[in-house]
Amino acid sequence: MKYDMYYEMLDQPKSLKDTFQAEKSHMKEISEKVKDMDNLYLVGCGSSLSTCYSAKDALSMVYDANINVFTGYEFYYHKKIDNENSGLILTSQSGETADTLAALRRANDLGLQTITITNEEESSMMKESAHAVLTRCGRENAILGTKTYVTQLMCLYQILFNAYDTPDSSEILKQLKTLPGIMESQIKSTEVENMELASKFKDEELFYCMGSGPNYGLAYKLALTMFMEGALKHACPLYSGEFRHGLIERVEKNVPVVFLDAGYPGDALTQRALEFCENIGAQNIVFKMSDYADINNLLAPFSLVIPLEWFIYYLAHYNNEDPGSTRHIGKVRY
């Protein structure tokens, strides 16, 4: 049996191509506005929040920009939002996420320049933002965002690395165009190995997910919206540097720990944590960027997400769960 998520994974390369072609000039116009802002806020929830974490951390590794990431209601209730020459970029699959929409309305009231990235043309956020980028993904039925995740992330990278002249900007912008081909190849080449990996771990109930830099955002998505929502497994995300502040006292023999490694400076700590886990007999599950794509390591979330999606898809399947269904989430469906 193939679930909705299966077909939506296959749509990812086309969604990236279509979004880039349709919104490229528009995103460049937005970048021109962003580069003159003194403060920039990125807001999202769930998978959309993870794209904000990854994009912000990628840029912060090579450029000193004043960017802050908030969840929707954190932004809404925050007492010190600088509205002087400031902007807000919001990410939402549906464009109706209550938390994010509340943040947009507060930002509009405060006079911030607002920009929405969403997949729904008729949504409230699309209509109420000063500027909006429409991802061209078509309908996404599975709760576990796949094609909307990669297109949102691409739009954030495109806007931010166009706005800020970093040492990596030209390479990043050039390599973003190659992602559809890379993902198309990965969809074919990584399914079987991760199906087998899922079979090995299907009876486990708890997973720790670790990443450094932009991979923390992916670790966050992996734990919250992939393991917990998609595969119905308990999971916890951590920055690699936080391993020694908690998990080091809790990880033990046979506990599964997922490591995302892209060769960032912070991945020296990823490696130390990995070695510690090996020594005590934990079950290390390592996803190395170098095994999947030869591109700038700031793009690691794009190169690692396909193998992770296959792993989660089959982990749910082996437990007789549809990775796209929900039990309690009152998410807006469109």
Coordinates of all heavy atoms in Angstrom, one line a residue, residues 45-47 93-94 96-99 141-145 221 223-233 322-334:
C45 N 5.5 27.6 12.5 CA 5.1 26.6 13.5 C 5.3 25.2 12.9 O 5.1 25.0 11.7 CB 3.6 26.7 13.9 SG 3.2 28.3 14.7
G46 N 5.7 24.3 13.7 CA 5.9 22.9 13.2 C 7.1 22.8 12.1 O 8.1 23.4 12.3
S47 N 6.8 22.1 11.0 CA 7.8 22.1 10.0 C 8.2 23.4 9.5 O 9.3 23.7 9.1 CB 7.2 21.2 8.8 OG 7.2 19.9 9.1
Q93 N 2.2 26.3 5.6 CA 1.7 25.5 4.5 C 0.3 26.0 4.1 O 0.1 26.3 2.9 CB 1.6 24.1 4.9 CG 3.0 23.4 5.2 CD 2.8 22.0 5.8 OE1 1.8 21.4 5.6 NE2 3.8 21.6 6.6
S94 N -0.6 26.1 5.0 CA -2.0 26.5 4.7 C -2.2 27.9 4.6 O -3.2 28.4 4.0 CB -2.9 25.9 5.8 OG -2.6 26.5 7.1
E96 N -3.2 29.6 7.0 CA -4.3 29.8 8.0 C -3.8 29.3 9.4 O -4.7 29.4 10.3 CB -5.5 29.0 7.6 CG -6.1 29.4 6.3 CD -6.7 30.8 6.3 OE1 -6.9 31.4 7.3 OE2 -7.1 31.2 5.2
T97 N -2.6 29.0 9.6 CA -2.1 28.5 10.9 C -2.4 29.6 12.0 O -1.9 30.7 11.8 CB -0.6 28.2 10.9 OG1 -0.4 27.3 9.8 CG2 -0.2 27.6 12.2
A98 N -3.2 29.3 13.0 CA -3.7 30.3 13.9 C -2.6 31.1 14.6 O -2.7 32.3 14.6 CB -4.6 29.7 14.9
D99 N -1.6 30.4 15.0 CA -0.5 31.1 15.7 C 0.2 32.1 14.8 O 0.5 33.2 15.2 CB 0.6 30.0 16.2 CG 0.0 28.8 16.8 OD1 -1.1 28.3 16.3 OD2 0.6 28.2 17.7
N141 N -1.8 16.5 1.2 CA -2.7 16.0 2.2 C -2.1 15.4 3.4 O -2.7 15.4 4.5 CB -3.5 14.8 1.5 CG -4.4 15.4 0.4 OD1 -5.2 16.4 0.6 ND2 -4.4 14.8 -0.8
A142 N -0.9 14.8 3.3 CA -0.2 14.2 4.4 C 0.1 15.3 5.5 O 0.6 16.4 5.1 CB 1.0 13.4 4.0
I143 N 0.0 14.9 6.7 CA 0.3 15.9 7.8 C 1.8 16.2 7.8 O 2.2 17.2 8.2 CB -0.2 15.3 9.2 CG1 0.0 16.4 10.3 CG2 0.6 14.1 9.6 CD1 -0.9 17.6 10.1
L144 N 2.6 15.2 7.4 CA 4.0 15.3 7.4 C 4.5 16.1 6.1 O 4.6 15.6 5.1 CB 4.7 13.9 7.4 CG 6.1 13.9 8.0 CD1 6.4 12.4 8.4 CD2 7.1 14.4 7.0
G145 N 4.8 17.4 6.3 CA 5.1 18.2 5.2 C 6.4 17.7 4.5 O 7.4 17.5 5.1
K221 N 12.6 19.3 13.0 CA 11.5 18.7 12.1 C 11.4 17.2 12.2 O 10.3 16.6 12.4 CB 11.7 19.1 10.7 CG 10.8 18.4 9.7 CD 11.0 18.8 8.2 CE 10.2 17.9 7.3 NZ 8.8 17.9 7.5
A223 N 12.3 15.3 14.7 CA 11.7 14.8 16.0 C 10.2 15.2 16.1 O 9.4 14.3 16.4 CB 12.5 15.4 17.1
L224 N 9.9 16.4 15.8 CA 8.5 16.9 16.1 C 7.5 16.5 15.1 O 6.4 16.0 15.4 CB 8.5 18.4 16.3 CG 8.7 18.9 17.7 CD1 10.1 18.7 18.2 CD2 8.3 20.4 17.9
T225 N 7.8 16.7 13.8 CA 6.8 16.4 12.8 C 7.0 15.1 12.0 O 6.1 14.7 11.3 CB 6.6 17.6 11.9 OG1 7.8 17.7 11.0 CG2 6.5 18.9 12.6
M226 N 8.2 14.5 12.1 CA 8.4 13.3 11.4 C 8.2 12.1 12.3 O 7.4 11.2 12.1 CB 9.8 13.3 10.7 CG 9.8 14.4 9.6 SD 11.5 14.6 8.9 CE 11.5 13.3 7.7
F227 N 9.0 12.0 13.4 CA 8.9 10.9 14.3 C 7.5 10.9 15.0 O 6.8 10.0 15.1 CB 10.0 10.9 15.3 CG 11.3 10.2 14.9 CD1 12.5 10.8 14.8 CD2 11.2 8.8 14.5 CE1 13.6 10.2 14.4 CE2 12.4 8.2 14.1 CZ 13.6 8.8 14.0
M228 N 7.2 12.1 15.6 CA 6.1 12.2 16.5 C 4.7 12.2 15.7 O 3.8 11.5 16.1 CB 6.2 13.3 17.5 CG 7.2 13.1 18.6 SD 7.0 14.1 20.0 CE 8.0 15.5 19.5
E229 N 4.6 13.1 14.7 CA 3.4 13.1 14.0 C 3.3 12.0 12.9 O 2.2 11.5 12.7 CB 3.3 14.5 13.3 CG 3.1 15.7 14.2 CD 2.9 17.0 13.5 OE1 2.9 17.0 12.3 OE2 2.9 18.0 14.2
G230 N 4.4 11.8 12.2 CA 4.4 10.8 11.1 C 4.4 9.4 11.5 O 3.6 8.5 11.1
A231 N 5.4 9.0 12.3 CA 5.6 7.6 12.7 C 5.1 7.3 14.1 O 5.1 6.2 14.5 CB 7.1 7.3 12.7
L232 N 4.5 8.3 14.8 CA 4.0 8.1 16.2 C 4.9 7.5 17.1 O 4.6 6.6 17.9 CB 2.7 7.3 16.1 CG 1.5 7.9 15.3 CD1 0.3 7.0 15.3 CD2 1.2 9.3 15.7
K233 N 6.2 8.0 17.1 CA 7.2 7.6 18.0 C 7.6 8.8 18.9 O 7.6 9.9 18.4 CB 8.5 7.2 17.2 CG 8.2 6.0 16.2 CD 8.0 4.7 17.0 CE 7.9 3.5 16.0 NZ 7.7 2.2 16.7
D322 N -0.4 5.1 8.9 CA -0.3 6.0 7.7 C 0.4 7.3 8.1 O 0.0 8.0 9.0 CB -1.7 6.4 7.3 CG -1.7 7.4 6.1 OD1 -0.7 7.9 5.7 OD2 -2.8 7.7 5.6
P323 N 1.6 7.5 7.6 CA 2.5 8.7 8.0 C 1.8 10.0 7.7 O 2.4 11.0 8.1 CB 3.8 8.5 7.2 CG 3.4 7.7 6.0 CD 2.3 6.8 6.5
G324 N 0.7 10.0 7.0 CA 0.1 11.3 6.7 C -1.2 11.5 7.5 O -1.8 12.6 7.3
S325 N -1.6 10.6 8.3 CA -2.9 10.7 9.0 C -2.7 11.5 10.4 O -1.5 11.6 10.8 CB -3.5 9.4 9.3 OG -2.7 8.6 10.2
T326 N -3.7 11.9 11.0 CA -3.6 12.6 12.3 C -4.6 11.9 13.3 O -5.7 11.4 12.8 CB -3.9 14.1 12.2 OG1 -5.3 14.2 11.8 CG2 -3.0 14.7 11.2
R327 N -4.3 12.0 14.5 CA -5.2 11.6 15.6 C -5.9 12.7 16.3 O -7.1 12.7 16.6 CB -4.5 10.7 16.6 CG -3.9 9.4 15.9 CD -3.4 8.5 17.0 NE -2.3 9.1 17.8 CZ -1.8 8.5 18.8 NH1 -2.2 7.3 19.3 NH2 -0.8 9.1 19.5
H328 N -5.1 13.8 16.6 CA -5.6 14.8 17.5 C -5.3 16.2 16.9 O -5.9 17.2 17.4 CB -4.9 14.8 18.9 CG -5.0 13.4 19.5 ND1 -6.2 12.9 19.9 CD2 -4.1 12.5 19.9 CE1 -6.0 11.7 20.4 NE2 -4.7 11.5 20.4
I329 N -4.5 16.4 15.9 CA -4.1 17.7 15.4 C -5.3 18.4 14.7 O -5.8 17.8 13.7 CB -2.9 17.6 14.5 CG1 -1.7 17.1 15.3 CG2 -2.6 19.0 13.9 CD1 -0.5 16.8 14.4
G330 N -5.6 19.5 15.2 CA -6.7 20.3 14.5 C -6.1 21.2 13.5 O -6.3 22.4 13.5
K331 N -5.4 20.7 12.6 CA -4.7 21.5 11.6 C -5.7 21.9 10.4 O -6.5 21.0 10.1 CB -3.5 20.7 11.0 CG -2.7 21.5 9.9 CD -1.5 20.7 9.5 CE -0.7 21.4 8.4 NZ 0.5 20.6 8.1
V332 N -5.6 23.1 9.9 CA -6.4 23.5 8.8 C -6.0 22.6 7.6 O -4.8 22.5 7.2 CB -6.2 24.9 8.5 CG1 -6.9 25.3 7.2 CG2 -6.7 25.8 9.6
R333 N -7.0 22.0 7.0 CA -6.7 21.2 5.8 C -7.2 21.9 4.6 O -8.2 22.6 4.7 CB -7.4 19.8 5.8 CG -7.2 19.1 7.2 CD -5.8 18.9 7.6 NE -5.1 17.9 6.7 CZ -3.8 17.6 6.8 NH1 -3.1 18.3 7.6 NH2 -3.3 16.7 6.0
Y334 N -6.6 21.9 3.5 CA -7.0 22.6 2.3 C -6.8 21.8 1.0 O -6.2 20.7 1.1 CB -6.3 23.9 2.2 CG -4.8 23.8 2.1 CD1 -4.1 23.7 0.9 CD2 -4.0 23.7 3.3 CE1 -2.8 23.6 0.8 CE2 -2.6 23.6 3.2 CZ -2.0 23.5 2.0 OH -0.7 23.4 1.9

